[in-house]
Amino acid sequence: MKRLYFTVVALLSMTMTFAGNEEGMKAGKNGANATAVATVANSDAANYEIRYNVRRLGETLGLNQWQMDSVEALNAMFNADLTAVAGAEKSARKEMLGDAIAKDHAYMSHVLTPAQLGKYETLINTTFANRGIEK
């Protein structure tokens, strides 16, 4: 049993060693400066990731099961758009973010009632403000 355990640990360790991302490999070649660039890029991506607990959102907005399922799917699409925004150049981010928000609003307006949509927009705007993202 110990052999199996140590074999699995060794295999996972080797896999993690060889599975470094491109930014990490650049950091190894270019020194600490590349590490700082990778850290900034990762923190930008984390700021733009908006995931929420659909159950709690459903309780806050008064969603039925169909709306909760739809909102969960739309959140995945919104996060894909925000990931693209985070990876874009800073000059293009504002326009891309505006497009992503408009797309999310259009889709959510088909799923949520006007009152629910108003609360949802307040929550999203507050989230952006808390993360320091300018629209």
Side-chain angles (χ1 to χ4, degrees), residues 80-132:
D81 291 344
L82 292 178
T83 301
V85 170
E89 294 182 20
K90 287 194 177 202
S91 59
R93 282 185 187 170
K94 193 167 190 171
E95 182 180 344
M96 289 177 69
L97 181 62
D99 292 343
I101 291 171
K103 181 179 167 184
D104 184 56
H105 175 77
Y107 289 150
M108 287 293 186
S109 67
H110 292 290
V111 175
L112 304 176
T113 66
Q116 291 170 334
L117 186 61
K119 286 181 187 178
Y120 174 77
E121 288 178 350
T122 301
L123 292 170
I124 291 295
N125 289 335
T126 303
T127 302
F128 281 135
N130 288 342
R131 294 186 182 193

Side-chain angles (χ1 to χ4, degrees), residues 21-100:
N21 63 11
E22 187 175 331
E23 293 295 330
M25 294 174 83
K26 287 179 186 176
K29 293 178 184 175
N30 298 331
N33 189 23
T35 304
V37 169
T39 303
V40 169
N42 289 338
S43 68
D44 277 352
N47 278 346
Y48 283 93
E49 184 177 346
I50 298 180
R51 297 197 186 275
Y52 42 79
N53 185 331
V54 177
R55 184 187 58 77
R56 289 190 59 194
L57 182 67
E59 290 172 2
T60 302
L61 299 179
L63 303 179
N64 61 33
Q65 187 60 43
W66 175 82
Q67 287 175 316
M68 288 176 64
D69 293 341
S70 299
V71 166
E72 188 172 14
L74 292 174
N75 182 40
M77 290 173 42
F78 189 46
N79 271 317
D81 291 344
L82 292 178
T83 301
V85 170
E89 294 182 20
K90 287 194 177 202
S91 59
R93 282 185 187 170
K94 193 167 190 171
E95 182 180 344
M96 289 177 69
L97 181 62
D99 292 343

